[in-house]
């Protein structure tokens, strides 16, 4: 019965997550259509940096929700801690934003940054966290319903804007901000009532659980935040925000695949982590299939470019980014799935060590291509580095598991 339920939940969660990923992709298509490549590059740069900073400040709270039942944490104390944590996180970033405001006199740009900060926090962390609560404590169907409805609200806000207002970066950011407020005020209330939420406080049990695992999970996050900020900034400084827009298209494809993979992971993680014995063979077979499909799909880069040129003729040359983006997407999606297995067999610390080491390798490779390769292809080389690093992480973790290599006590 448990096997049947987990398979059903994985299918529901995966389909729902790909549906949400498709809606998010449409949002970006609308932005690509109505914004210049320069402004779209600026939009994605701001959102990407906020996502990484907020992920660092998340302190692996989402992972804690997934293993909360195993740690005997109560839903009420998790909910209260989640609200407290969300408030503290947004206050930290808001204060940093005020400090940054001293260095700019462009109020409109500052407003765009503030709007996108709220959107990034709600869209990629608050909604994601609430969805995990539903997944673990209530029902997969409810989790995907909430996740889908929130995505529909964001899409509706962006889709309807061109019919009533000027299609500027400021207006798009404002519409996403308003949608974020609606999501928090209307949809999130239900789970708080259902969980008996009363106070906003950080539970000592939750705090101790975060301390015990977040230091290892956060180490590669911090390292990745630094290297990705350097890479993205170098693309804009050495090339242009238009090139960063092309680079963002490839990253967008990767994010769609990752969202879908996380859909399978949400119900799979608690199940895998609760089992005593797990077989690695299914994960190997899935990986072979995924890479075969990815390599085949990457051959159609020129076809996708022709479609994009109908939307915006500034995206000439995007085919190579599409092709690399598809391979990167497969690599990221499979990495998400495989590392779930690795964490499930008790190798969380080893996963952290390997990921941190490969981020360092990524930094070295970035310096090499920056100083010794043609900078005209810098963004393309970064995509190749991301693919190499992602695949290397999986291979190293596979070797650690297969040959029982133990670098540190778990």
């Amino acid at each position: 019965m448990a096997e049947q339920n987990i398979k059903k939940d994985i299918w529901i969660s995966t389909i729902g997550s790909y549906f949400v990923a498709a809606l998010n992709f449409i949002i970006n298509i609308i932005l690509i259509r109505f914004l210049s490549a320069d402004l779209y590059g600026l939009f994605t740069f701001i959102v990407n940096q906020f996502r990484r900073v907020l992920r660092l400040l998340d302190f692996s709270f989402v992972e804690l929700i997934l293993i909360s039942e195993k740690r005997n944490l109560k839903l009420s104390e998790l909910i209260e801690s989640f609200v407290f944590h969300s408030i503290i996180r947004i206050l930290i970033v808001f204060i940093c934003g005020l400090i940054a405001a001293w260095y700019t006199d462009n109020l409109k740009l500052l407003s765009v940054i503030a709007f996108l900060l709220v959107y990034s926090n709600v869209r990629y962390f608050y909604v994601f966290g609430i969805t995990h609560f539903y997944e673990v404590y209530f029902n997969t169907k409810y989790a995907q319903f909430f996740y889908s409805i929130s995505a529909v609200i964001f899409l509706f806000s962006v889709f309807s804007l061109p019919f009533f207002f000027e299609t500027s970066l400021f207006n798009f950011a404002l519409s996403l901000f308003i949608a974020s407020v609606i999501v928090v005020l209307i949809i999130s209330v239900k789970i708080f009532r259902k969980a008996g939420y009363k106070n906003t406080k950080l539970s000592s049990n939750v705090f101790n659980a975060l301390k015990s695992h977040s230091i290892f999970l956060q180490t590669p996050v911090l390292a990745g935040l630094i290297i990705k900020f350097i890479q993205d900034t170098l693309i804009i400084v050495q090339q242009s925000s238009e090139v960063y827009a092309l680079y963002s298209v490839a990253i967008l494809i990767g994010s769609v695949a990752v969202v879908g993979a996380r859909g399978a992971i949400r119900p799979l993680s608690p199940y895998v982590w609760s089992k005593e014995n797990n077989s690695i063979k299914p994960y190997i077979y899935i990986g072979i299939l995924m890479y075969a499909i990815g390599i085949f799909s990457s051959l159609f880069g020129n076809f996708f470019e022709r479609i994009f040129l109908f939307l915006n003729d500034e995206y000439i040359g995007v085919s190579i980014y599409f092709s690399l983006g598809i391979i990167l997407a497969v690599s990221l999606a499979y990495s998400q799935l495989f590392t779930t297995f690795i964490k499930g067999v008790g190798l969380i610390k080893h996963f952290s060590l390997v990921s941190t080491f490969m981020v360092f390798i990524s930094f070295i490779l970035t310096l090499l291509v920056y100083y010794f390769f043609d900078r005209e292809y810098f963004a393309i080389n970064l995509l190749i580095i991301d693919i190499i690093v992602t695949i290397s992480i999986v291979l190293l973790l596979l070797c650690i598991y297969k040959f029982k290599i133990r670098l540190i006590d778990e």
Side-chain angles (χ1 to χ4, degrees):
M1 186 64 180
E3 292 283 351
Q4 294 175 350
N5 288 338
I6 191 62
K7 289 179 180 179
K8 180 181 177 181
D9 288 345
I10 289 174
W11 275 110
I12 292 174
S13 188
T14 303
I15 293 172
S17 293
Y18 272 115
F19 174 73
V20 170
L23 296 184
N24 186 54
F25 186 80
I26 294 173
I27 289 175
N28 282 272
I29 290 296
I30 294 173
L31 294 172
I32 288 170
R33 171 67 181 86
F34 289 103
L35 294 178
S36 65
D38 180 54
L39 289 179
Y40 179 71
L42 178 61
F43 170 86
T44 54
F45 179 80
I46 294 173
V47 172
N48 286 340
Q49 303 316 313
F50 280 150
R51 286 179 64 180
R52 291 164 189 151
V53 172
L54 290 168
R55 185 185 176 196
L56 177 67
L57 295 177
D58 187 61
F59 292 110
S60 303
F61 206 108
V62 167
E63 284 80 1
L64 179 62
I65 296 172
L66 290 175
I67 61 175
S68 56
E69 291 185 328
K70 192 173 184 179
R71 290 181 176 270
N72 297 317
L73 297 173
K74 297 179 181 178
L75 174 60
S76 58
E77 63 184 0
L78 270 171
I79 285 286
E80 293 168 2
S81 301
F82 179 75
V83 174
F84 178 84
H85 175 263
S86 298
I87 294 173
I88 295 299
R89 183 178 62 218
I90 196 67
L91 284 177
I92 292 174
V93 180
F94 179 73
I95 292 172
C96 293
L98 289 178
I99 295 174
W102 287 96
Y103 297 94
T104 178
D105 57 356
N106 191 333
L107 183 60
K108 200 165 186 178
L109 177 59
L110 188 61
S111 299
V112 168
I113 293 174
F115 293 151
L116 293 181
L117 168 61
V118 175
Y119 163 70
S120 300
N121 185 56
V122 173
R123 168 69 178 82
Y124 296 105
F125 294 93
Y126 192 78
V127 169
F128 205 54
I130 295 296
T131 303
H132 279 65
F133 276 119
Y134 272 105
E135 185 70 62
V136 175
Y137 286 95
F138 301 114
N139 186 284
T140 298
K141 291 181 180 179
Y142 284 125
Q144 289 308 311
F145 176 77
F146 171 79
Y147 199 29
S148 300
I149 288 298
S150 62
V152 169
I153 292 175
F154 288 124
L155 175 59
F156 178 78
S157 67
V158 172
F159 178 79
S160 58
L161 185 139
F163 295 99
F164 303 101
F165 302 99
E166 178 188 358
T167 54
S168 64
L169 178 59
F170 176 85
N171 286 338
F172 275 123
L174 177 59
S175 68
L176 289 170
F177 167 76
I178 294 173
S180 301
V181 174
I182 293 173
V183 168
V184 172
L185 293 181
I186 297 179
I187 299 181
S188 305
V189 170
K190 184 175 181 180
I191 190 174
F192 295 150
R193 290 179 177 175
K194 197 170 184 178
Y197 165 72
K198 295 179 180 179
N199 303 307
T200 299
K201 62 181 181 181
L202 180 62
S203 165
S204 59
N205 292 333
V206 174
F207 179 72
N208 291 330
L210 282 172
K211 284 196 305 182
S212 67
H213 81 285
S214 64
I215 186 172
F216 289 97
L217 291 175
Q218 290 300 100
T219 302
V221 173
L222 175 60
L225 167 66
I226 297 172
I227 181 59
K228 283 300 179 184
F229 176 77
I230 293 174
Q231 289 178 341
D232 291 357
T233 304
L234 285 176
I235 292 174
I236 292 179
V237 172
Q238 293 299 323
Q239 294 185 280
S240 66
S241 54
E242 289 90 344
V243 173
Y244 188 78
L246 301 179
Y247 176 80
S248 298
V249 170
I251 300 300
L252 175 62
I253 297 172
S255 67
V256 169
V258 170
V259 168
R262 285 177 178 170
I265 289 169
R266 268 195 299 273
L268 181 64
S269 295
Y271 175 76
V272 171
W273 296 348
S274 64
K275 289 186 65 176
E276 294 297 329
N277 298 311
N278 289 287
S279 173
I280 197 173
K281 288 184 179 179
Y283 298 89
I284 300 296
Y285 296 148
I286 291 173
I288 294 173
L289 177 62
M290 289 177 64
Y291 275 104
I293 295 174
I295 293 173
F296 176 76
S297 301
S298 68
L299 301 177
F300 295 91
N302 289 326
F303 172 75
F304 293 126
E305 178 178 343
R306 287 195 292 270
I307 295 176
F308 250 59
L309 292 178
F310 282 111
L311 299 172
N312 192 324
D313 58 9
E314 295 183 21
Y315 286 80
I316 296 176
V318 77
S319 61
I320 182 62
Y321 294 91
F322 262 119
S323 297
L324 292 174
I326 291 171
I327 298 177
L328 177 60
V330 171
S331 302
L332 291 172
Y334 181 62
S335 175
Q336 289 277 325
L337 186 63
F338 188 79
T339 53
T340 298
F341 169 82
I342 291 296
K343 294 175 184 178
V345 295
L347 294 174
I348 292 179
K349 295 180 181 179
H350 283 78
F351 160 74
S352 176
L353 289 174
V354 170
S355 298
T356 304
F357 172 72
M358 289 311 302
V359 170
F360 174 75
I361 296 299
S362 176
F363 178 67
I364 298 298
L365 293 175
T366 299
L367 293 179
L368 288 176
V369 300
Y370 179 76
Y371 286 107
F372 299 105
F373 289 76
D374 191 341
R375 294 182 186 177
E376 182 181 352
Y377 304 103
F378 182 65
I380 294 175
N381 289 330
L382 287 185
L383 288 173
I384 297 174
I385 290 174
D386 286 342
I387 293 171
I388 293 173
V389 167
T390 307
I391 295 175
S392 297
I393 290 174
V394 172
L395 293 177
L396 286 174
L397 290 173
L398 177 61
C399 291
I400 287 174
Y401 172 80
K402 196 67 178 177
F403 299 107
K404 302 185 185 314
I405 300 171
R406 298 298 179 262
L407 306 171
I408 187 173
D409 292 332
E410 291 283 350

